[in-house]
Amino acid sequence: MRILDRFESALFSPRPRTAALAHALLIGAGALAGALLVAAGGPLYGSAAFLVLVFGVLMLRDIRWGFLAVFAVIGFLPFATLPFKIGFTPTFLNVAVLAVYFVWIMRVATRRDRELTGSPIGAAVLLFLLVAVFAFANGLRFSRPTMTTIRNFAELVMAIGFFFILVNTLRTQRDTELVARLIMLAGAAAAAIAVVFYVIPDTMTIRILNALGRFGYPGGAGALRYIEDDTANPMRAIGTMVDPNVLGGFLILMIGLTIPQLVSPAPLFRRSLVACFLLVEMLALYLTYSRGSLVGLAVGLLVIGVLRYRKLLPLALVGGLLLLLLPQTQAYVARFVEGIQLQDRATLMRLGEYKDALALIRRYPWFGVGFAGSPDADLYVGVSNLYLLMGEIMGVLGVLAFLIVITGYLANLWTAWRRLLTCRALQRSEGSQCPARFDDARQEALLLGLAAAITGALAGGIFDHYLFNLVYPHMSVLLWTYLGLGMAVAALSYPQTEENH
């Protein structure tokens, strides 16, 4: 242990020569391990080991490389798994998130981050986490959890904890903008993959998915998704998100965050590049044929259109008219109308799920049945509704705790935005300077984009469960990332943060 402690101290040593020597030793050890892995398992695993080595060293120097790894995995291969088991099969996302945790804890332990920052909604987030832990423990009365259940719950806990890492790490405008850029790039990459998989021949898409099978992805023709699972109907885009509704929910978050950049006077990317991002993402969302995601996105865009960027309302109107009138979109419109009229099979199945979910919640109202499944043979855990699913698992108290978090989050974003407008008005009328240190145009676009994304995703959650379904851990990470990023951006508008920067 003393040797490890000395090596750890050397890695973070303030002396450049000592730190460089420690990093060189680490690289040498990693290269040797990579060579052995190539000899044992082939060039694929060796290349993967080399990438892990490079990112590991970079993350030790700057935690922002860890954020890059997390969002790169989410954008490209969110379900990819490692080729070995440790009681369970770890995913690339598990490794990336755990690496961020490790680096952050080491920074705190070595006092590189000397001050831990709270958050106005930190207590509410902790309350939600405690209710989740209690619900998990309470559910042990009904059934014994499997290794998969324990692993999924641990992923949820790590996703919630990611909130606290972000609010303690993103303390400057530069940091918040970097994470926002990484998220937008991940969204554009995932959307581009989905569109490419959709337009190329089905046989080629199946071949690619089969190749990804070595990383745990489902392969074969069964991996492709169609409306109502009928191959006679149009195919639905999935990309590497496995499920079209999950891809649709993912794109709500991405489009909501990105679209204010199109009309902001100070976008984070060139406006032409932002337009390309949005074009690909909107096309991918359309190809999912996810009606709930389309409604959720409309709600999110309405929020920022009414509050600030009214230029977006005519664009949304034009998009709606094209959707209604173009011959190529009539199948989509017909499916949407069937859903409103409660005529198609998918909608009828959802209504049945809602009825069963309400029955389960009535039996176990306060803390739910936990994460291991229903104790009653006549009912099951699973419903295409975020709030009902949360009610089944964590009870009414869990739903209330979640709504407290969301209410506090949106209230803080609203307060920060109003403070920004007040500062701008004072600057124009009196020539005074705002006490907060940020570019107000960029921060305004981020505040409204984060509000639109979360509002849209929560509206979409009425029709689906991707934000709380433990099978989709990358969506949980994204949800709590957005909450943490939003609170970090809002904190920059407080005068007392001046001395912390």
Side-chain angles (χ1 to χ4, degrees):
M1 291 299 295
R2 290 183 179 179
I3 295 176
L4 292 177
D5 291 339
R6 290 179 180 177
F7 185 67
E8 174 189 320
S9 300
L11 282 174
F12 296 104
S13 174
R15 299 178 180 178
R17 291 184 178 179
T18 302
L21 179 60
H23 286 126
L25 288 174
L26 183 63
I27 292 173
L32 178 60
L36 293 174
L37 191 57
V38 169
L44 178 64
Y45 298 149
S47 301
F50 178 75
L51 289 176
V52 170
L53 168 68
V54 170
F55 266 96
V57 173
L58 291 174
M59 286 175 62
L60 288 173
R61 301 183 66 88
D62 193 332
I63 197 172
R64 289 175 292 188
W65 286 101
F67 295 141
L68 171 61
V70 170
F71 299 124
V73 170
I74 290 175
F76 287 94
L77 295 171
F79 296 100
T81 59
L82 295 176
F84 57 82
K85 292 185 178 181
I86 47 176
F88 65 93
T89 305
T91 66
F92 286 15
L93 184 60
N94 294 154
V95 174
V97 172
L98 283 172
V100 172
Y101 267 92
F102 172 77
V103 172
W104 182 64
I105 291 172
M106 293 296 294
R107 289 172 65 91
V108 174
T110 57
R111 297 185 178 181
R112 296 184 70 188
D113 287 344
R114 297 183 178 181
E115 181 181 351
L116 295 180
T117 305
S119 170
I121 66 169
V125 175
L126 280 176
L127 174 63
F128 179 77
L129 179 58
L130 289 174
V131 174
V133 171
F134 184 86
F136 179 82
N138 183 60
L140 299 180
R141 299 186 300 125
F142 307 126
S143 57
R144 185 176 180 179
T146 64
M147 179 58 72
T148 300
T149 301
I150 296 172
R151 176 253 188 89
N152 290 341
F153 179 71
E155 289 174 337
L156 174 64
V157 171
M158 288 194 300
I160 297 172
F162 215 65
F163 169 88
F164 294 102
I165 292 180
L166 288 169
V167 297
N168 277 280
T169 305
L170 308 182
R171 303 192 184 192
T172 66
Q173 179 180 345
R174 179 184 176 188
D175 291 336
T176 58
E177 290 179 358
L178 172 65
V179 171
R181 287 190 178 100
L182 292 177
I183 294 173
M184 292 178 199
L185 289 171
I193 292 171
V195 172
V196 169
F197 278 16
Y198 194 91
V199 299
I200 63 178
D202 293 355
T203 54
M204 189 175 296
T205 302
I206 293 171
R207 188 181 306 169
I208 296 173
L209 293 174
N210 286 338
L212 291 176
R214 68 181 65 186
F215 297 108
Y217 267 82
L224 303 182
R225 302 294 293 274
Y226 297 85
I227 294 176
E228 297 183 350
D229 295 324
D230 186 351
T231 55
N233 291 327
M235 190 171 76
R236 305 179 67 186
I238 56 171
T240 54
M241 298 286 170
V242 176
D243 184 273
N245 292 327
V246 174
L247 177 59
F250 173 86
L251 290 171
I252 293 176
L253 292 170
M254 296 301 145
I255 296 172
L257 178 63
T258 306
I259 201 165
Q261 304 297 320
L262 190 64
V263 291
S264 170
L268 295 180
F269 294 98
R270 291 183 180 180
R271 212 176 305 277
S272 58
L273 192 58
V274 172
C276 291
F277 289 174
L278 290 171
L279 180 63
V280 174
E281 290 168 353
M282 293 294 291
L283 178 58
L285 179 62
Y286 167 78
L287 294 175
T288 64
Y289 286 88
S290 175
R291 295 166 294 185
S293 298
L294 187 63
V295 171
L297 178 61
V299 171
L301 296 185
L302 183 63
V303 168
I304 57 176
V306 171
L307 287 179
R308 180 68 174 92
Y309 299 118
R310 292 178 175 81
K311 294 178 182 179
L312 294 175
L313 295 178
L315 293 176
L317 180 60
V318 171
L321 290 175
L322 291 175
L323 185 65
L324 289 173
L325 300 177
L326 287 177
Q328 296 87 344
T329 62
Q330 294 312 299
Y332 198 108
V333 174
R335 175 170 161 76
F336 202 92
V337 172
E338 287 177 354
I340 295 174
Q341 295 177 345
L342 308 180
Q343 292 180 348
D344 67 321
R345 185 176 65 181
T347 303
L348 294 175
M349 289 177 62
R350 273 189 169 87
L351 293 177
E353 290 178 354
Y354 296 166
K355 180 181 177 181
D356 292 341
L358 290 171
L360 185 61
I361 292 171
R362 280 194 293 267
R363 292 186 192 178
Y364 306 92
W366 297 113
F367 293 104
V369 299
F371 293 81
S374 173
D376 300 331
D378 60 326
L379 292 173
Y380 56 92
V381 175
V383 55
S384 296
N385 181 290
L386 165 66
Y387 311 98
L388 290 179
L389 180 62
M390 196 175 291
E392 288 181 331
I393 295 175
M394 296 174 57
V396 174
L397 294 181
V399 178
L400 289 176
F402 180 72
L403 293 178
I404 291 172
V405 171
I406 296 301
T407 301
Y409 170 80
L410 294 176
N412 275 274
L413 261 59
W414 169 266
T415 302
W417 180 60
R418 296 301 301 175
R419 184 181 295 110
L420 183 151
L421 295 183
T422 301
C423 285
R424 186 179 298 166
L426 288 175
Q427 285 178 332
R428 290 175 177 174
S429 61
E430 303 176 6
S432 60
Q433 295 295 319
C434 287
R437 298 178 63 177
F438 54 75
D439 183 305
D440 62 345
R442 286 193 168 186
Q443 295 302 97
E444 181 178 33
L446 280 180
L447 286 171
L448 293 177
L450 289 162
I454 290 297
T455 304
L458 293 175
I462 297 174
F463 309 102
D464 220 311
H465 50 43
Y466 39 77
L467 290 179
F468 194 69
N469 190 324
L470 302 188
V471 179
Y472 309 121
H474 69 291
M475 295 301 293
S476 295
V477 172
L478 272 180
L479 170 63
W480 294 99
T481 293
Y482 271 60
L483 297 181
L485 177 59
M487 296 309 298
V489 174
L492 293 175
S493 69
Y494 287 90
Q496 58 264 36
T497 62
E498 173 79 14
E499 60 189 30
N500 293 334
H501 296 289

